[in-house]
Amino acid sequence: SQTIHQWPATLVQPVGSPLSLECTVEGTSNPNLYWYRQAAGRGLQLLFYSVGIGQISSEVPQNLSASRPQDRQFILSSKKLLLSDSGFYLCAWSSGLRGKGEQYFGPGTRLTVT
Amino acid sequence: QQPVQSPQAVILREGEDAVINCSSSKALYSVHWYRQKHGEAPVFLMILLKGGEQKGHEKISASFNEKKQQSSLYLTASQLSYSGTYFCGTHTGFQKLVFGTGTRLLVSP
């Protein structure tokens, strides 16, 4: 069966500090991978998605970036965090063209920028 | 453009029924439904493909009217465990979903 991991689970960082969040998927190959952000009490905002190694599509202009160095690894980064970057960061995967697009989410990282 | 869900929030007594609607301004290939409990990640419930199909999950079912670009989620004989925020996700032909505005459901004893 497939499993998706995210770490860390919680993070408190000062404004201007760097960020690196990691997501890995087990039990599948060539997944589509996604990063979402959810502000408190709000909906899911798609930040990046990737259909393959090194292929990243950005959905919103901001100070975040994403990379996919390996097939089942997806990393979200920032060089300098802003207060507005606080939120619940969720990684998700789907089976790409083999599936119907249903997405499965990791447990999330709760980021507080102080 | 983000699909619009209605109502924004609903409070039920255990055993009551509810309907959550999802409406899109774009043509849809499929509609997905997810439930998110407080502090947790969203969980996939079901997917509806073109063709007006209906699907079910426990006592939760859904319909998809592709002509109207709408989907509805039906919760019958609600249980306490149904509480959470429900999101629809619409698929417009690319490898991504656009999630709706969300509907908060609270089921009380």
Side-chain angles (χ1 to χ4, degrees):
Chain A
S1 64
Q2 299 85 10
T3 311
I4 179 168
H5 303 278
Q6 284 185 247
W7 62 89
T10 59
L11 193 58
V12 180
Q13 293 282 93
V15 168
S17 63
L19 173 73
S20 180
L21 303 180
E22 189 164 342
C23 169
T24 59
V25 181
E26 296 177 354
T28 188
S29 58
N30 301 316
N32 288 347
L33 296 172
Y34 307 85
W35 277 114
Y36 291 90
R37 178 170 62 199
Q38 187 175 37
R42 306 296 296 274
L44 298 160
Q45 179 188 29
L46 180 63
L47 301 175
F48 302 94
Y49 70 98
S50 171
V51 299
I53 296 174
Q55 300 178 60
I56 309 294
S57 296
S58 175
E59 290 295 299
V60 290
Q62 55 200 342
N63 67 319
L64 299 174
S65 62
S67 62
R68 185 171 177 174
Q70 300 180 43
D71 181 47
R72 289 169 289 176
Q73 184 185 30
F74 205 21
I75 297 172
L76 182 70
S77 304
S78 174
K79 292 183 179 178
K80 288 185 178 182
L81 284 169
L82 306 173
L83 285 174
S84 57
D85 291 324
S86 293
F88 192 35
Y89 287 80
L90 292 155
C91 179
W93 73 274
S94 70
S95 297
L97 294 176
R98 300 189 308 276
K100 300 186 177 97
E102 62 268 34
Q103 295 185 13
Y104 299 94
F105 288 83
T109 294
R110 200 162 300 277
L111 171 67
T112 303
V113 182
T114 61
Chain B
Q1 193 167 359
Q2 187 177 31
V4 177
Q5 291 183 228
S6 62
Q8 289 185 324
V10 59
I11 299 175
L12 297 176
R13 286 282 178 89
E14 200 172 5
E16 292 181 337
D17 302 339
V19 180
I20 299 172
N21 300 300
C22 173
S23 180
S24 173
S25 60
K26 294 188 174 183
L28 303 176
Y29 280 80
S30 64
V31 177
H32 305 218
W33 285 96
Y34 294 78
R35 177 171 62 206
Q36 184 179 27
K37 293 188 179 288
H38 183 68
E40 300 180 5
V43 173
F44 172 73
L45 292 177
M46 66 187 75
I47 180 174
L48 299 105
L49 306 176
K50 291 173 70 173
E53 69 170 314
Q54 291 189 315
K55 298 199 72 173
H57 174 82
E58 300 173 344
K59 292 183 180 177
I60 302 172
S61 61
S63 63
F64 175 29
N65 187 324
E66 61 193 86
K67 288 186 178 179
K68 292 185 177 180
Q69 297 164 190
Q70 294 176 344
S71 178
S72 295
L73 187 72
Y74 307 95
L75 300 100
T76 56
S78 58
Q79 306 169 13
L80 295 177
S81 61
Y82 287 2
S83 293
T85 301
Y86 288 79
F87 292 100
C88 65
T90 55
H91 193 271
T92 57
F94 299 95
Q95 296 289 328
K96 61 180 182 179
L97 294 177
V98 180
F99 284 91
T101 49
T103 296
R104 292 187 178 184
L105 175 71
L106 176 63
V107 181
S108 60

